[in-house]
Every structure is written in C-alpha cells, then in structure tokens.
Amino acid sequence: MEHVPPPAEELVLLDRELARLDARRSQLLTRRAWLVSVLTQPVASPAVPPAPPFAPPSPLTAPFGPPAPSAGPRGTQNVLLALGGLLLTVAAIAFTLVSWGHMGIGGRSAVLGVMTLAALAVPAVLVRRGLPSTAEALAALASVLMVLDAYALHRVAVPEADGPGFAAAASAVLAVLWSAYGLLLDRLRLPLPLAVVTAQLPLLLWAWSAGAGVMTFGWALLVTAALDCAIAVRGKGVAVRVTACVCCWATGLPGLLVALGRSVSADTVSAAAAPGALLLVGAAVAVSGARRAPEGLAVAGGVVAGLSGVAAVGGVLGAGVAGGWSVPLYLLCGVVLLAAVRAPLPRRVGQGVVWASSAVTAGAVLAAVPPVGLSLTGTVSQLVRVWSGEPDGGVRGALGVEGPAWSAMTSAPVVLFAVAGLSGAAYRWWAQLVRVAGPVLVPGVAWRGAAGAAAVVLGWAGLTALPAVLGLSYAAAVSVHSVLVAGAFAVAVRGWRRGTDGVGPAASVCGVAGAVSVGMLSLATEAATYAVFTWLLVMSGAAAVALGGVAAQAARSLPPLPTVRAVRAAGVLRTVQAVPACGAVVCGLVLARALAASWGLAGYRAAPVVLVVPAVTVLLGARLRGRPSALPVELTGAAAGVVAVGMAVPDRPFLALVLALCGVLAAGTAVRAERRPPAGYLATALFVLAAWLRLSASGVSAPEAYTLPVTVPALVVGVLRRRRDREASSWTAYGAGLSATLVPSLFAAWADPHWVRPLLLGTVALGITLVGARLRLQALLLLGGAVLALDGLHELAPYVVQVVGALPRWLPPALAGVLLLAVGATYEQRLRDARRLKDALGRMR
C-alpha cells in the first residue's frame, strides 16, 4: 500500500492534531471550573464582572478564565516598599539638614546612631523571616543614614577637616562597611553593588584634595579601574560583576585618554615616559580582564590593550619629532602589534588586538589623506585661469597651496606606500597569511580582494601626492600624473582580466580620477593641454579596446546555463568598458575646443569645430555596431553636440547652421536600422528647428511663404504613404509637414499685433482638428487642437487679464477652491473620462 502523505509525515500530523486536542480539552476544563466557582459563590459576595463571551480558541488568545489582575501581590508590595523607603529617606534628610540645630550633641548622635543601627539590624531579622523585599527597602534606608552619619561627623567632630579629603576617607570607610554588610547578608542585592560604586570615589577625591596634577588623576582612575576589573572577574554575584564592569570602563577609558593626551603632546622622551607607563599598565589591566570576559567584552578588551600599547611605545618614539613623522612611528608600532596573532592569548583577545592594529593603520592612512585631497581637488583652480601660463612655485603654485603647508605633510607618501606594500604582500601571499592567522582570524576570500584594492588605491594615492610633497616643477608634475594614469589603466586591464577581485575596479576608479585631475592641471598652458589630452585620448581608447577584449572573452567563456553571478560579472565588464570609451570622447571634445581657441575663433564660431566630435562618434557607432560600448559612445557624442548647440546660442544664424549640421548627423545615424526610429525623429526636429531659426534670423515676417512649399509636398508624400500602408502612423505621414508650417505661424501670430494672421491660423487649425477627428488621425487632431488652443489663448489673453483685474481679489481663490472640490468629489468619474480619452487617442493612427 502506498501512503499519501508518507508515513513519517502522517505521524507528525497526527501528533500535532492530538496536541491541539489536548490543549482544547484543557481550555474547556479551565472554563468549566471557573463557571462552577461563579455559580457556587455566596449571595452576599461582591458582584463578579461578567465573563467574557465564549469564543473559539486561537493561538493568539489567552486561556479561559477571569480577567488577570492589573498588578500582582509582588508588584504591589514592591511599590509600597519603595514609597515607604523613599518617605523615610526624605524624612531622615530633612531631620539632618533642618532639625539638626534644635538638639544637643548627645541627642543628635543618639538619634542618628539608633536609627542607623536599627536600619542595619532589622534587615537581618527580615531576611530570616522570608521578607527580602522589606529587608532591601530598609537596607537602602540604612545606606542613606550612613551617608548622613558621615556628614554629621564632619560637621560636629572634625569641622576643620578638608572637605574632599574627609569625603575620600568617608567613601573608603563606607565602601568597606557596605562590602562587609553585603557579605554577611548575602541575600541582599543592594549593599555590594553600592560598595562597588562608592569605591570609585576615594582615590579621585584624594587626588582632588591633594591638588594633584593631571597624571595623578590618570593614575587614580587607572588604579580604580584595575580594582573594578578584579571585582568584575572574581566578584560575587552577577549584579556585582556587571556593576564593576561598567565602572571599570567608566574610569579606565578617561584615565587612558588623559595619558594619551599627555603622550601625544610630549616634547621629549622623558616627558612621554610617564604617560607611556600609564598606558602600558592600562594595557596590562585590559588584557588581564579580557582573558576571563565574555566574547564581546574580550574583543573590546583586546582592542583597548592594543591601542594602549601602540600609544605608549609610539608616543615615546615620536616624542619631539616634527613634520608629521610621528605618524609612521605609530604605524610601525601598529604593524608590530600584528605579532599578537601568534601570542599565547585567548582567541577573542587576539582578535581585539588585531582590530586595534587595523585601527592604527586606518588612522595613519587618514592622517595621510590631506595631501592627496589637495593634489586632486587643487587642480580645479585652473578652470578659472585657463592658459594663463605656467604657475609660479611649480606644482604647488598650480594647486594654490603654499610651501609651509606642505612641510607638515612630508611623511604622507611614506605612510601610504608602507600600507600599500603591506596590503599588496597580503594579497600576494594570502594563503600563507591565512595559515599564520588561523588560530585568531579566519578571513574570507572577499578580504583578499579588499587587500588588493587597498594596495592599488593607496599606492596610487601616494604617487599622486608625491610631486606636490617633493615640490616638483609644473612640467614634471604633469608628466608624473600622466604616466600614473597610464599605469592605473594598465593595472585595471590586468585586474579585470584576472577576475573581479577588487583590483580591477579599484584601478579603474583611480585611473578615471587621475585623468580628471591631470586634465584640469594641464589647462594652465596651451602646450600642456594638447599634450595631456592627446595622451589621455590614446590611453582611454587603448583601455576601452583592451577591456572590450576582456569582456568578449568573458562572454564567450559563459556556460550554456550561466549563473547569476557570472552574468552580473559580464555586465559589470561591459559597463566598465564604456567608461574609458566615453572618456576618450570627452578628451576629443576638449581637444576640438582647444583647437578652435588656438585659431582665435569666438565661442559661437567654434561650435562647428566641436561638431567634429559627434561626427566621429557617428562613424564609430557604425563601426562598433552590436558592441556594448557603441551606445555609450554615441550618447557621449550626442552630449558633445548639445555642447556645440549651447556654444552657438548667442548667434542665431550660427545656431541654425549648427542645428542643421546636427540634423545631418542624426540622419546619418538613422541609416542604421537599430537607430532609425529615435534618430529619424530627432533629425526631422532638428531640420525643422534649424529652418525656423534661419527664417527668424533673416527677419522674415511671413514664414508661410517659405514653409508652405515644404508642407504641401510633405503632406502629399504622407498621403501616398498612407495609401500604400494603412497601418502607418499619422505622425510619420503628416506630423513633420504640418509642424513645418503650423509652429512658425503660431510664433509669428503671437508676435503679430493684427487680427488677420491669428484668424487665418485659427481657421486652418480648426479645419485640421475637424479632419483629424473625422478621419481618426491622431497627429492632425493633436497638432490642430494645440495650435487652435494656443491661438485662442493669445487672442483672449488681454480680455482675461481685464476681467481678472476687475474681479474682487478673493474671488479667484474661491473659484479655484470650488473647482478643486468639484474635481475631488467626482474624481473617479474624471479618472474614467481621462482613461476613455486616452484609449480613444490610442486607437487613432
């Protein structure tokens, strides 16, 4: 017999159903017992609230029974005890501060002593009788009374004693007394944590009373933190350990920060020795506490220990070192700290030490970033002084930063090169690194790619900042940056060929950033501009070709059923290939504009020269047909054409010429089948717009004499096209011909003060609209209707202005509000009407 479902699954289903039935039976029995208790209550008993209506069981509903009370006996008891203890504490404070002077010395001492002893003794009796909550409340009152006893002792017995000193001694005594009291009555939860908190004060108050220096306060904090660490490791109870751990961090971190500040600001080795010793002791305390701490705290302790050790040794080595050279010393200490992966430390502590080394390395890199940023962004200043000549002061003058500022950044390239070398070594010998760090860290494969990317970026950053740091001449700096761009693109191609592990993307970004920077830097002189942008054009083209080969090889190597990751990697390669290709087009655009400037052409006269770039991209698009980089190259060329159009805007005849040339390029692109629809429409629009502008520039007041000879043949061709192909769109057949006359006439009508042209135009537009509606031709309907509406608006505008000026000011807003309310009230109907209109227009040809 074949079971459906299988026997194992059926058994699980049966067990689940039996469990549900048992739960249901338990609910019904509970409900029955409650109903019986309600029915058997005496008549004189208080009324019971009505039972909730019976409802089927649900996993989200509570079991049947009377409503649960809002607060249990234990919660009510705790609230009452807390309020009672608070009131007694307020009364004791008021007695001490207000009524103290009305009693003699004996009476005052007797009252406070009796109250304190009673408050300390009664909790012991209450604990034995099983009343721990009441005992806790009285123990809290006793703690407050002991503080008041100390205050009274100072005011009466030793009023001449120093306040901070007496407070230090009193807090130490109170901490000892509360510790002993908590150990004797170990069922009380308050005394021991209170003793730990109070133990934070004696050393700090003593340092305050002694007028000690900053380092003494640091030692006081650190010794207190060491005591807290010992309590957190060996203390009794979770509350004591948690309190000691929090206090350890609260006192230890400020003490280490004090030592760090003194170490960094030390001018001599002897001055850095004392804070260094404090930091080393802090590191030892952190390691000792982290050995027995939970995982998260162990890692944090390792981080603190590692950072403290680096700060101690680095502060001594870098004391008095100028020019930012202390940063490499700290970096050296952080690298040496990596030896902790083989030290006899718990795994989590070792991880924290490694993270501390990484933090030191990251801090050193961040300290070296400013010169790199200045080298990259300082070149933007050349945009406002193009071809102004070679700047004074070499490359530093070109960046706009004076020499003294660079003297403090001389160590930046060293730091960047050192970290880049370490990252490159990790990338190269990754397997050996994983084997060595195995007991502490188990890095994934992604970390190898990150190391390779870091090596590339940091090495490139160091070479970028090197010319300015060394104070090279302008020509030497331009040469170095140009070669650096070529090197970055070469590394990018090699990295993409070997796989997407981080090296290729990082090098690609560096190459693009370096190309932009050196391009702006070269704008200082004419010769540098031609040399650099020609070099960038060649390098970008070569990189695009090489990356295209890599992308093609990756596409050929895809299996018949490729994975999502493989398809995504191939898409990334195609995208990356387009970046240098588009960059080559931009370089060509800059060279064309520079050539026009060298010929002395004005801005608008240089536009035809710039159009050489989109012309070349049209030819390249035909040559690259079907390749991923074809469309980005053509779009970049189109953007260059937009730049040319913008340059020609000040002169309408030149603008008409540029638009016509752009139309020729668009028509040439439309020859290709895959570009025909968008390029064809664009070519038509550009030709028509060029004709209008040419007529406007020639001062023609009757454009119809020039547009009608174009419109009539175009409409005839459209009619013939529609006879041959009834499915052809009306926009294809009649759109261009109608627009050639209607739009220029509309512009002329708006500028015509007489009524004849608007009347004739409106009549023709009305006829075209009616024909379009009758023959269901979308182009005629929409073009004729739009022209008719704009023409009517032009004629009615003066009267509308007069009417609006005569109306009260409140009436237009009121009418607008009524209109909005009406539309809102009939929104669904209006939406249906709009959809029907859209469908009707869509059915037209």
Side-chain angles (χ1 to χ4, degrees), residues 558-643:
L558 288 177
L561 294 176
T563 61
V564 176
R565 183 176 181 181
V567 173
R568 188 178 301 168
V572 171
L573 275 173
R574 289 193 295 270
T575 304
V576 171
Q577 177 197 2
V579 173
C582 297
V585 177
V586 173
C587 293
L589 174 64
V590 175
L591 287 173
R593 181 65 184 91
L595 186 63
S598 298
W599 290 345
L601 298 177
Y604 64 91
R605 293 183 180 274
V609 180
V610 174
L611 283 179
V612 174
V613 177
V616 174
T617 59
V618 170
L619 298 176
L620 283 176
R623 180 70 179 82
L624 300 173
R625 179 178 301 181
R627 297 187 182 180
S629 59
L631 181 59
V633 167
E634 292 181 75
L635 291 177
T636 309
V642 173
V643 172

Side-chain angles (χ1 to χ4, degrees), residues 232-339:
V233 171
R234 302 183 179 277
K236 182 180 179 180
V238 177
V240 175
R241 293 188 176 186
V242 171
T243 305
C245 183
V246 173
C247 293
C248 179
W249 286 99
T251 55
L253 288 181
L256 294 176
L257 290 176
V258 168
L260 177 63
R262 300 286 291 184
S263 177
V264 171
S265 60
D267 296 332
T268 60
V269 175
S270 58
L278 179 57
L279 288 169
L280 289 177
V281 172
V285 172
V287 170
S288 64
R291 283 180 176 274
R292 298 183 59 183
E295 290 187 359
L297 291 176
V299 174
V303 171
V304 172
L307 293 177
S308 300
V310 170
V313 180
V316 173
L317 295 178
V321 177
W325 285 100
S326 59
V327 176
L329 297 176
Y330 281 104
L331 176 62
L332 177 62
C333 297
V335 173
V336 173
L337 192 63
L338 287 175

Side-chain angles (χ1 to χ4, degrees), residues 431-661:
Q432 293 85 338
L433 176 64
V434 172
R435 187 165 56 253
V436 171
V440 176
L441 296 176
V442 186
V445 180
W447 286 96
R448 182 175 186 268
V456 172
V457 173
L458 295 176
W460 169 82
L463 291 173
T464 299
L466 192 60
V469 171
L470 297 179
L472 299 182
S473 63
Y474 173 77
V478 171
S479 302
V480 170
H481 284 293
S482 300
V483 174
L484 186 57
V485 172
F489 280 137
V491 174
V493 173
R494 179 181 175 84
W496 285 111
R497 184 176 289 117
R498 298 181 64 178
T500 56
D501 59 352
V503 175
S508 300
V509 173
C510 293
V512 173
V516 173
S517 176
V518 73
M520 290 188 293
L521 183 64
S522 68
L523 296 178
T525 63
E526 184 176 358
T529 300
Y530 283 114
V532 169
F533 277 97
T534 303
W535 174 258
L536 293 178
L537 176 62
V538 174
M539 288 296 102
S540 300
V545 173
L547 289 174
V550 175
Q553 183 179 359
R556 288 193 300 268
S557 63
L558 288 177
L561 294 176
T563 61
V564 176
R565 183 176 181 181
V567 173
R568 188 178 301 168
V572 171
L573 275 173
R574 289 193 295 270
T575 304
V576 171
Q577 177 197 2
V579 173
C582 297
V585 177
V586 173
C587 293
L589 174 64
V590 175
L591 287 173
R593 181 65 184 91
L595 186 63
S598 298
W599 290 345
L601 298 177
Y604 64 91
R605 293 183 180 274
V609 180
V610 174
L611 283 179
V612 174
V613 177
V616 174
T617 59
V618 170
L619 298 176
L620 283 176
R623 180 70 179 82
L624 300 173
R625 179 178 301 181
R627 297 187 182 180
S629 59
L631 181 59
V633 167
E634 292 181 75
L635 291 177
T636 309
V642 173
V643 172
V645 171
M647 293 170 59
V649 166
D651 188 271
R652 280 189 293 175
F654 257 88
L655 180 58
L657 173 63
V658 171
L659 289 173
L661 293 175

Side-chain angles (χ1 to χ4, degrees), residues 558-818:
L558 288 177
L561 294 176
T563 61
V564 176
R565 183 176 181 181
V567 173
R568 188 178 301 168
V572 171
L573 275 173
R574 289 193 295 270
T575 304
V576 171
Q577 177 197 2
V579 173
C582 297
V585 177
V586 173
C587 293
L589 174 64
V590 175
L591 287 173
R593 181 65 184 91
L595 186 63
S598 298
W599 290 345
L601 298 177
Y604 64 91
R605 293 183 180 274
V609 180
V610 174
L611 283 179
V612 174
V613 177
V616 174
T617 59
V618 170
L619 298 176
L620 283 176
R623 180 70 179 82
L624 300 173
R625 179 178 301 181
R627 297 187 182 180
S629 59
L631 181 59
V633 167
E634 292 181 75
L635 291 177
T636 309
V642 173
V643 172
V645 171
M647 293 170 59
V649 166
D651 188 271
R652 280 189 293 175
F654 257 88
L655 180 58
L657 173 63
V658 171
L659 289 173
L661 293 175
C662 291
V664 172
L665 296 177
T669 304
V671 174
R672 296 155 51 196
E674 70 273 12
R675 301 283 188 262
R676 185 165 299 156
Y681 291 135
L682 180 61
T684 303
L686 290 173
F687 282 136
V688 172
L689 185 58
W692 296 341
L693 283 173
R694 182 67 261 184
L695 294 177
S696 174
S698 301
V700 175
S701 59
E704 293 81 4
Y706 300 90
T707 57
L708 284 176
V710 177
T711 296
V712 173
L715 293 178
V716 172
V717 172
V719 171
L720 296 177
R721 170 71 184 277
R722 289 275 296 173
R723 285 183 178 179
R724 288 187 177 184
D725 184 10
R726 300 299 299 178
E727 298 298 326
S729 171
S730 60
W731 289 100
T732 305
Y734 309 119
L738 291 175
S739 301
T741 295
L742 289 178
V743 177
S745 298
L746 180 62
F747 279 105
W750 272 64
D752 195 342
H754 304 290
W755 58 273
V756 178
R757 185 190 299 275
L759 177 61
L760 294 177
L761 179 61
T763 303
V764 172
L766 177 61
I768 294 173
T769 304
L770 294 177
V771 172
R774 176 68 180 81
L775 300 180
R776 303 181 61 80
L777 298 177
Q778 190 181 99
L780 275 67
L781 179 63
L782 294 182
L783 281 175
V787 173
L788 179 62
L790 292 174
D791 186 65
L793 178 63
H794 172 263
E795 295 303 309
L796 294 177
Y799 304 102
V800 172
V801 172
Q802 292 179 2
V803 171
V804 172
L807 292 176
R809 293 181 179 270
W810 57 268
L811 189 57
L815 294 176
V818 172

Side-chain angles (χ1 to χ4, degrees), residues 32-43:
R32 181 183 181 279
W34 182 76
L35 291 174
V36 170
S37 65
V38 170
L39 293 175
T40 57
Q41 284 180 353
V43 180

Side-chain angles (χ1 to χ4, degrees), residues 62-157:
F64 290 115
S70 58
R74 179 73 63 179
T76 305
Q77 179 189 20
N78 291 335
V79 172
L80 293 176
L81 291 174
L83 290 176
L86 180 62
L87 291 176
L88 288 175
T89 303
V90 171
I93 295 175
F95 168 76
T96 305
L97 298 179
V98 178
S99 302
W100 188 256
H102 301 289
M103 301 179 64
I105 184 63
R108 288 177 285 187
S109 302
V111 170
L112 273 181
V114 170
M115 292 177 61
T116 304
L117 292 176
L120 290 173
V122 172
V125 179
L126 295 177
V127 167
R128 287 196 299 270
R129 292 179 175 270
L131 299 174
S133 299
T134 308
E136 292 284 355
L138 289 178
L141 175 62
S143 64
V144 176
L145 291 175
M146 292 176 72
V147 174
L148 296 177
D149 286 335
Y151 170 74
L153 182 63
H154 176 258
R155 292 292 303 271
V156 175

